[in-house]
Amino acid sequence: MGRLVELDRLLAVLRSAAEGTAGVALVGGDAGIGKTRLVTELAERARADGFAVLVGQCAELGDALPYLPLADALRGVEGELREALEARPVLGRLLPGGVDGGPESASRLTQQQLFGSVLGFLATQPVLLILEDLHWADQSTRDLLVFLSRMLQGERVCLVGTYRTDDLHRRHPLRRVLAELGRLPAVTSVELSPLDRGEMADYVALLGGTDARMIDEVVDRAEGNPFYAEELLEAAVEGSMMTDGLASLLLSRAEQLSDPAQRVLRGAAVAGRKVDHGLLQAVSGLDDLAFEEAMREIVSRGLIRPSGEYGYAFRHALLQEAVYTDLLPGERTRLHAEFARLLAGQGGSAAELAHHYLAAHDLAGALAASVEAGRRAERLGAPAEAHRHFERALGLWERVPDAEALTGTDHAGLALRTAAAAADMGDNQRAAAHMRALPPSAEVCERLAYYLYDAGQESEAVAAAEAAVEAGPTGPLLARALATFARTVFWTARHAEAGPLAERALEVARATGARDAEKSALIILASCAEYTGDRERAEQLFARVAAEDSGDLAMDLRGIFHHARIQAEGGALAAAAATADRGIRLAAETGLSWSTYGTDLRFLRYMIDYTVGEWEQARARGFGRRVGTIPEAVLSSFALFVEVALGLPEVEERLAWLRPFWPDTMVAYMSRGLAAEHALWQGDPGRALEHVTAVLDVLEPTDSGSIRVAAVGLWALAELGRTDGAGDLLGRARDGARAGLGREGRAWLLRAEAEWHRVHGRLDADAWRAVVEAFDYGFVYETARSRWRLAEALLAAGDRAAAHREWEQAVETADALGARPLGEALAELGRRARFGPVRRAEPAGPAGPAASASAGRPGPGRRPGRADRESRSPAVALTGREREVLTLVAEGLPNREIGERLFIAPKTVSVHVSNILGKLGVSSRTQAVAAARRAGLL
């Protein structure tokens, strides 16, 4: 009644989810305004449309029970969702009887596992997930809400949350979440305002009001609030006085109950919105018959309704609040103490116990329960709640005798655990504050250094780490202190100390069995080797890190990522793909696909796909365009590599979403650097140069990322016919080069040099040939782009045959990739040069070996180079990737199996085979194998 507009908006989100675009709706309004009724109607429509409907309820327990609404929603799932739940043990821990994760679980890592598992669980089938009363949600639930709102993209999921607007005071934690989510395009906000007078009159009549005077009085008093109207009408029908104020009205109805029923109602109010049958009876002190009579009376009055198989729930939270608020202080304390006693005997939730003990002023019970609740929250992956419980325990510590005996820990141990929980929830400053409050032992200083370093306070971190080592620890603690010291000095003026410290940490770690410190030390040593240009040693060390199981999943994923990264940077793309896939599988199997390094591994794999020309596979990995935060903008920027190269129309839409985040350095580097290329393909070099200038202004002068951006800037200058600034751009590219630069970086530096010549009107074929050779380690697209420029330079030098060959190879690659802008540029070059149609693997003859030989002869004004020597030797002319393909062709494998062996697509294999046939001057795979054997290639 009166909510058709709001219902239509929610149904639109639901329809969008049914079509494969996930959506989120946040429904706000005052208490009693009709939020639950509205989402109940939505749930009925969703069930009729084939959605599984999951409903979870938050509770007012002092922000103490982590993931309570999620656990509530998961109870009773059936069919396909039950199988999906059972396949994800981390979700099973939330349910009664769930297996404990064990005391060693790190709460941040477990939270990442849980969030990833929820995302996978919801993707199983069309789901409507309703989370009610978010104004009472714990922080971990709020974090989950934000995560799902950002990550849900193509799943058939509709997420709806309700909250009370009248409960959101200025500093309420949900306010920040609502403001953040309100900026997301996938989120629809629905605000329920009071019903107007006509709608209220119709509603009261629908409820059974027949007397016009009575209806008018109800409408006047209810002020557009449907729940208030229901209560007013009920009071009038029962012959009670319609008192002013909803709380007074609710209490007046409760006061009409018998004494036993009022006793039960008061006990239920202390329990919260929902309560178990047996527990409520025990608190009431009534025998079976008396309790049943009391409950029947309460239910018949519509104050409480049965909920679930063995419990009850207040019809509305406002009624529970009114009854609880009306309790006398002594009565409230006694009832909380009774609930605590009963729950303790039944093995109840530690968080609930802590809540009741505190309300009963039982400090000893509250201390013990708070520590246990913190441990439980850690194991559930709820670091914010773990920190809340531990911090409360610290506050009670000095007020409780024998605190160590009650909690099983000492004060320092509890403080260390509290700090770890603070760090896990992302508050390293608070973690450091906890450490500063303790005496400066070696362990305290080591942890303080770790937190300060993560908080960006490098000089303070170095001092703390040095103090930890100087405190003279032994065993595993010494290994960790040394590793942390090495980590803190790595990017400082004391960088030279990092290697020796890491070597010492490695020695101690191996001697004492500190596997975490051993792996950390290996990573630092590998980073030192990479920094100094010893990439071979760096790769060996990273390989050791990736191969060994440290017992720390986050550390293992970090090691695998860095191993795959350095393999990719060194040009070993097939090996890098295999390493990255291993890490991706490990992350998926452990529910860590959305952890930091789980995400990094997937995006590294995307870049490998992009490099080797597996663009369809790269795009299938999915990048949402609707971004609302800097991390999302960084991830979205990756998609531009392929989209710009394909010339897709969605580039403009993605850039529009990313533009507000350009002040961030990483977003600017990624998206504006590619926006510059997009502008060049669109024929706007002036705009491209603006992007390049903006990016270089925010990058450090020695950042290796400057090389690519500067090369694009030189391209823009050449198109503009300007030379001003060319020297500065080439200087930035050279400044970005450092020892140990990877193959791609070296190739981009050569391109910058070649573009600098082009800016000055010199089409240097040798320079562009060097660029082609540098990119031809497997970077399919950039090799083709470089061949485009090489063909131009060869034409200018008068070597038409060689230019034609380079042009043809570039055209074939552009066609195979679907790189429309490059294809159009090559078509234009072909028209100017009158090359005609591309020849496809012609038989030997004038266009075969003879053409290859003539193409290898130096043209006018061109000195013999490496390509001249290669053209006379097929063994040298074939790239490393082509030789790999040729070897497998000789084994008789089809393109599909060759692709599986080399981790590339069959289409990419086809491109390589065409290149091989052209270079060998043959027309079939059999002829290619024969020619290769004659040349000694096989």
Side-chain angles (χ1 to χ4, degrees), residues 456-535:
Q457 297 174 242
E458 291 182 359
S459 58
E460 296 93 330
V462 170
E466 193 164 22
V469 174
E470 290 176 351
T474 58
L477 180 54
L478 175 59
R480 295 187 186 97
L482 288 166
T484 299
F485 194 10
R487 178 176 182 248
T488 60
V489 300
F490 187 86
W491 291 111
T492 70
R494 299 174 64 176
H495 171 80
E497 298 177 47
L501 284 168
E503 291 280 10
R504 189 178 165 204
L506 182 61
E507 180 183 350
V508 176
R510 285 176 173 165
T512 60
R515 289 191 299 169
D516 57 338
E518 178 182 355
K519 209 154 197 177
S520 180
L522 282 170
I523 289 174
I524 296 164
L525 287 171
S527 300
C528 289
E530 185 179 6
Y531 184 85
T532 57
D534 190 350
R535 297 186 65 85

Side-chain angles (χ1 to χ4, degrees), residues 131-142:
L131 303 178
E132 290 215 66
D133 294 330
L134 288 172
H135 50 281
W136 287 329
D138 57 282
Q139 182 172 323
S140 292
T141 295
R142 294 194 297 270

Side-chain angles (χ1 to χ4, degrees), residues 323-668:
V323 175
Y324 183 81
T325 303
D326 191 56
L327 291 172
L328 296 172
E331 186 178 25
R332 188 180 302 155
T333 299
R334 178 183 59 77
L335 285 170
H336 276 295
E338 186 63 12
F339 268 109
R341 183 185 68 80
L342 291 168
L343 285 170
Q346 297 175 7
S349 158
E352 277 191 278
L353 276 169
H355 167 73
H356 287 297
Y357 276 130
L358 277 172
H361 310 300
D362 184 341
L363 301 188
L367 173 63
S370 293
V371 171
E372 182 55 36
R375 291 168 177 156
R376 172 69 175 162
E378 280 182 328
R379 295 192 288 267
L380 287 177
E385 283 63 52
H387 180 265
R388 179 186 180 87
H389 290 301
F390 288 147
E391 195 168 49
R392 177 192 294 143
L394 284 175
L396 294 171
W397 191 272
E398 299 297 334
R399 302 163 63 187
V400 176
D402 298 323
E404 286 191 27
L406 282 170
T407 60
T409 185
D410 59 18
H411 183 266
L414 179 59
L416 284 163
R417 205 155 186 169
T418 309
D424 281 347
M425 71 182 195
D427 194 342
N428 286 293
Q429 294 288 4
R430 183 175 289 188
H434 284 302
M435 292 298 91
R436 288 192 175 109
L438 294 174
S441 66
E443 184 177 14
V444 167
C445 289
E446 186 274 329
R447 288 291 83 193
L448 175 60
Y450 202 94
Y451 300 141
L452 288 171
Y453 186 81
D454 284 349
Q457 297 174 242
E458 291 182 359
S459 58
E460 296 93 330
V462 170
E466 193 164 22
V469 174
E470 290 176 351
T474 58
L477 180 54
L478 175 59
R480 295 187 186 97
L482 288 166
T484 299
F485 194 10
R487 178 176 182 248
T488 60
V489 300
F490 187 86
W491 291 111
T492 70
R494 299 174 64 176
H495 171 80
E497 298 177 47
L501 284 168
E503 291 280 10
R504 189 178 165 204
L506 182 61
E507 180 183 350
V508 176
R510 285 176 173 165
T512 60
R515 289 191 299 169
D516 57 338
E518 178 182 355
K519 209 154 197 177
S520 180
L522 282 170
I523 289 174
I524 296 164
L525 287 171
S527 300
C528 289
E530 185 179 6
Y531 184 85
T532 57
D534 190 350
R535 297 186 65 85
E536 183 177 353
R537 182 166 188 258
E539 183 172 347
Q540 291 172 351
L541 289 169
F542 278 131
R544 285 170 57 188
V545 174
E548 297 173 6
D549 179 5
S550 70
D552 182 335
L553 280 172
M555 185 73 76
D556 292 343
L557 289 173
R558 178 185 175 194
I560 293 171
F561 166 76
H562 283 298
H563 186 211
R565 175 188 60 79
I566 201 167
Q567 285 176 317
E569 291 176 0
L573 297 173
T579 302
D581 285 341
R582 179 165 68 89
I584 290 167
R585 284 194 300 272
L586 175 63
E589 289 165 0
T590 55
L592 290 173
S593 292
W594 288 100
S595 66
T596 301
Y597 283 104
T599 302
D600 287 346
L601 279 161
R602 285 186 292 118
F603 290 114
L604 174 62
R605 191 64 175 88
Y606 168 88
M607 291 306 298
I608 293 172
D609 288 337
Y610 166 69
T611 301
V612 302
E614 302 282 356
W615 289 3
E616 290 181 9
Q617 188 168 312
R619 294 194 72 204
R621 297 184 185 277
F623 293 85
R625 289 191 292 275
R626 306 174 301 181
V627 299
T629 65
I630 288 173
E632 288 175 2
V634 172
L635 299 183
S636 176
S637 298
F638 276 90
L640 289 170
F641 281 101
V642 173
E643 290 178 355
V644 168
L646 289 171
L648 298 179
E650 48 259 48
V651 169
E652 293 292 346
E653 182 186 353
R654 189 178 297 276
L655 287 174
W657 279 107
L658 292 169
R659 191 167 291 115
F661 301 95
W662 281 353
D664 178 78
T665 299
M666 189 61 181
V667 178

Side-chain angles (χ1 to χ4, degrees), residues 711 743-757 764-790 806 866:
R743 296 189 70 170
E744 183 185 353
R746 296 197 298 272
W748 277 107
L749 182 59
L750 288 170
R751 179 173 288 177
E753 302 276 358
E755 289 285 6
W756 182 83
H757 285 294
D764 190 325
D766 283 342
W768 282 107
R769 187 174 291 106
V771 178
V772 170
E773 292 169 356
F775 275 119
D776 204 13
Y777 63 88
F779 205 146
V780 176
Y781 176 61
E782 293 303 345
T783 301
R785 281 213 296 187
S786 303
R787 288 190 193 282
W788 167 43
R789 293 302 187 195
L790 175 56
E806 299 294 343
R866 176 179 171 184

